[in-house]
Amino acid sequence: MESFNLLPLLTIIVILLSSSLFVYFNFDFLQPTIAFFFVMSVSLLLGTLNIGRWNLYVGSETSLIVIGGMLAFAIGAGFLHYNFYKKYTMKTSKIKLGIYDVPWQIIILCTIVTLSLAYLSTKEMYALSVQLGNHDGIMNMIKTVRYPLERGEITFSRMNSYRNLIAMVFATTFLYMFINNLIVGQNKVIKNLLFLLPVFSAVPFFILSTGRRSMVHFIICGLVLAVIIYQQKYGINHEVRIKILRLLGCTAFMALFVYFALGFLTGKVSIGGRDPLTIIAHYGGLSVPALEQYVSSYHPENQYIMQNTMMGFYGNLNSLGFHLETGRGFLPFVEFHGTDQITTNVYTIFYRLMADYSIPGMLVIMFLFGVLLTYVYNYLRHNNSPGILAIYAYFGYIPFFLFIDDQFMGLFRTRTIYFCLLISGFIYLLRRYYFHYTIRRESNN
């Protein structure tokens, strides 16, 4: 092992790159590259502050992999921004904005359906927990099911997945309509609160996921919707950026609160004498040092091609009668020993991409991801496409969570196709019959 620890230097480099890109992308806080670089900066900073406590180390090879992968993403985004986006903004586009006036009967019906589906999923999970030895009632079912589920020893039924899918379609659709009406309509807050009923009805599904990320993902979905719709209406200027910054701060606080609250509820977070900052550093600051352990150790070849990133594909094959391993949904834990001992199984996005596609393949994929996300984000800022906006917002957590794990390749599954088709069709129908144009704004920024 090298004697010189490059973790502090890597942190400084990424922070400087983040600052430079922030200027290049016109101080756009939600631009995918800025989001990715910012959370990586925070993760590396948390690791640096706890080097002695957990004996964290990052060598030259891992540092080059991290910088190379991040720059590949940024170059892809910058290439799109310069060669397409700049040309696109030479033209003036007209954005038509309006409000949704959906009958209350439809909203109530969707709420009842969501609650009914939540009841069925809760019933299924409770029955499963009883089989696993739960004798302490419904409040203990999540703690009972969580570990066997994470180890892949048990799975939920296909119907449970379909119930969750329908609930997410309703919740995301009405969250979009609530935020849209709130920003565009402004003075009809009380009337629009009815849109939140299907949203709150979906909360049980976030809890039943046994994790916390799904709820945080949905909070980010709301953030993305609000920022893009606000930019569609008001454009981009200093005042708008300040309001977006405040919204980001509020969203970060809400996400942390929900993360801890659900952690206690599901048994994933136990204080055990640790302060909240230590817990945050544990979950946020160990991914790159963990990647170092992977890079510097021996790792056997995959049994199947792309088994780390295409788990949904293998799951679909198994549903057709094949008997293949579905891949590594949960990666192995690594330990760190300093003045304290700690473990983690998060390695950044680069672990899975390198394991399946090698370092050159990882760089190409990161470049393409940068192009794709930047294209969609720039397009939505200047076009009112509700279906695409809802889909992008639902998966808007991706750049914020690349410091933990791969968030892209797992989307290549039939569930993603079903979700995109259902939410696009549902929004199309509601928009066709219950949408009224109120504003037309010319956009060229």
Side-chain angles (χ1 to χ4, degrees):
M1 178 177 287
E2 301 177 27
S3 59
F4 188 67
N5 191 349
L6 293 177
L7 180 55
L9 178 60
L10 177 62
T11 303
I12 294 173
I13 292 173
V14 172
I15 290 175
L16 291 176
L17 287 173
S18 301
S19 303
S20 301
L21 289 168
F22 187 53
V23 175
Y24 177 76
F25 287 107
N26 302 319
F27 308 97
D28 189 346
F29 296 100
L30 215 61
Q31 208 283 336
T33 307
I34 302 305
F36 176 32
F37 272 67
F38 173 75
V39 293
M40 281 295 293
S41 299
V42 173
S43 176
L44 288 166
L45 183 60
L46 290 172
T48 300
L49 295 176
N50 290 277
I51 285 179
R53 184 177 201 173
W54 294 320
N55 192 25
L56 306 180
Y57 173 85
V58 174
S60 58
E61 185 176 358
T62 301
S63 298
L64 289 174
I65 288 171
V66 170
I67 293 175
M70 295 181 68
L71 283 178
F73 186 97
I75 291 171
F79 173 82
L80 190 285
H81 185 81
Y82 181 79
N83 290 283
F84 173 79
Y85 179 57
K86 292 295 185 181
K87 295 178 182 179
Y88 178 82
T89 53
M90 294 297 292
K91 301 178 181 179
T92 300
S93 58
K94 293 183 178 181
I95 302 178
K96 297 180 180 180
L97 301 175
I99 60 173
Y100 292 87
D101 189 17
V102 181
W104 66 268
Q105 294 93 334
I106 294 179
I107 300 175
I108 296 299
L109 176 61
C110 293
T111 301
I112 293 173
V113 171
T114 303
L115 290 174
S116 300
L117 296 176
Y119 168 76
L120 293 174
S121 292
T122 303
K123 185 178 179 181
E124 178 181 333
M125 174 176 278
Y126 181 70
L128 190 58
S129 72
V130 171
Q131 295 177 16
L132 294 171
N134 175 29
H135 302 294
D136 297 324
I138 194 171
M139 295 303 295
N140 194 53
M141 69 175 183
I142 295 178
K143 294 180 182 179
T144 304
V145 169
R146 180 167 63 87
Y147 288 113
L149 188 66
E150 290 182 353
R151 292 192 294 264
E153 298 172 358
I154 60 172
T155 57
F156 292 122
S157 68
R158 185 176 295 272
M159 287 304 301
N160 184 77
S161 177
Y162 292 152
R163 290 192 292 264
N164 181 279
L165 177 66
I166 294 172
M168 291 304 105
V169 168
F170 287 158
T172 306
T173 298
F174 287 108
L175 179 65
Y176 154 69
M177 292 182 178
F178 170 75
I179 293 175
N180 177 85
N181 286 10
L182 196 66
I183 294 175
V184 177
Q186 292 184 325
N187 59 346
K188 299 180 180 180
V189 177
I190 303 299
K191 180 180 179 180
N192 292 322
L193 287 176
L194 193 63
F195 283 115
L196 292 179
L197 288 179
V199 176
F200 288 121
S201 299
V203 170
F205 286 95
F206 299 125
I207 299 174
L208 293 175
S209 69
T210 75
R212 295 157 290 170
R213 289 189 199 174
S214 58
M215 188 66 192
V216 176
H217 291 176
F218 199 70
I219 292 174
I220 295 175
C221 172
L223 169 69
V224 174
L225 288 170
V227 169
I228 291 180
I229 295 173
Y230 199 83
Q231 291 180 21
Q232 287 177 346
K233 181 177 181 181
Y234 295 103
I236 293 295
N237 54 53
H238 178 70
E239 183 179 352
V240 170
R241 292 191 182 100
I242 293 298
K243 290 183 177 180
I244 291 175
L245 180 60
R246 292 172 182 169
L247 182 60
L248 278 169
C250 294
T251 303
F253 176 81
M254 183 185 304
L256 285 174
F257 175 80
V258 169
Y259 194 78
F260 277 98
L262 288 180
F264 289 124
L265 181 62
T266 60
K268 276 198 166 187
V269 170
S270 177
I271 291 293
R274 300 188 301 171
D275 60 90
L277 289 178
T278 300
I279 297 174
I280 293 173
H282 177 193
Y283 288 101
L286 298 179
S287 54
V288 174
L291 182 66
E292 164 66 28
Q293 292 203 22
Y294 167 76
V295 171
S296 60
S297 64
Y298 168 77
H299 28 274
E301 294 184 2
N302 294 340
Q303 183 177 359
Y304 305 108
I305 61 172
M306 301 183 295
Q307 71 178 48
N308 292 283
T309 54
M310 300 296 285
M311 293 172 290
F313 172 74
Y314 282 108
N316 292 335
L317 288 179
N318 288 339
S319 66
L320 296 175
F322 291 86
H323 300 283
L324 305 172
E325 292 186 14
T326 56
R328 301 167 185 162
F330 294 91
L331 299 175
F333 281 87
V334 293
E335 297 183 355
F336 298 95
H337 301 274
T339 55
D340 292 336
Q341 178 179 336
I342 203 164
T343 62
T344 188
N345 68 334
V346 298
Y347 300 81
T348 75
I349 182 177
F350 307 119
Y351 176 107
R352 294 186 188 272
L353 294 184
M354 285 193 302
D356 282 358
Y357 309 103
S358 75
I359 294 178
M362 177 271 290
L363 295 176
V364 172
I365 291 172
M366 291 299 293
F367 175 87
L368 294 176
F369 286 161
V371 170
L372 176 63
L373 282 181
T374 302
Y375 175 85
V376 178
Y377 178 73
N378 286 341
Y379 173 82
L380 288 172
R381 287 179 58 203
H382 300 277
N383 294 274
N384 187 15
S385 301
I388 299 176
L389 174 57
I391 293 170
Y392 178 82
Y394 184 76
F395 297 113
Y397 63 86
I398 287 177
F400 292 93
F401 280 84
L402 295 179
F403 81 101
I404 291 179
D405 202 348
D406 168 47
Q407 308 292 325
F408 286 105
M409 305 302 287
L411 300 181
F412 290 93
R413 59 180 65 191
T414 53
R415 175 187 167 87
T416 304
I417 298 175
Y418 295 154
F419 175 84
C420 293
L421 291 176
L422 287 174
I423 197 168
S424 298
F426 189 51
I427 291 178
Y428 171 79
L429 290 175
L430 294 180
R431 184 178 178 85
R432 180 176 181 180
Y433 294 105
Y434 307 115
F435 181 79
H436 308 287
Y437 288 112
T438 59
I439 298 175
R440 297 190 180 188
R441 187 184 72 86
E442 292 188 351
S443 171
N444 59 359
N445 57 3

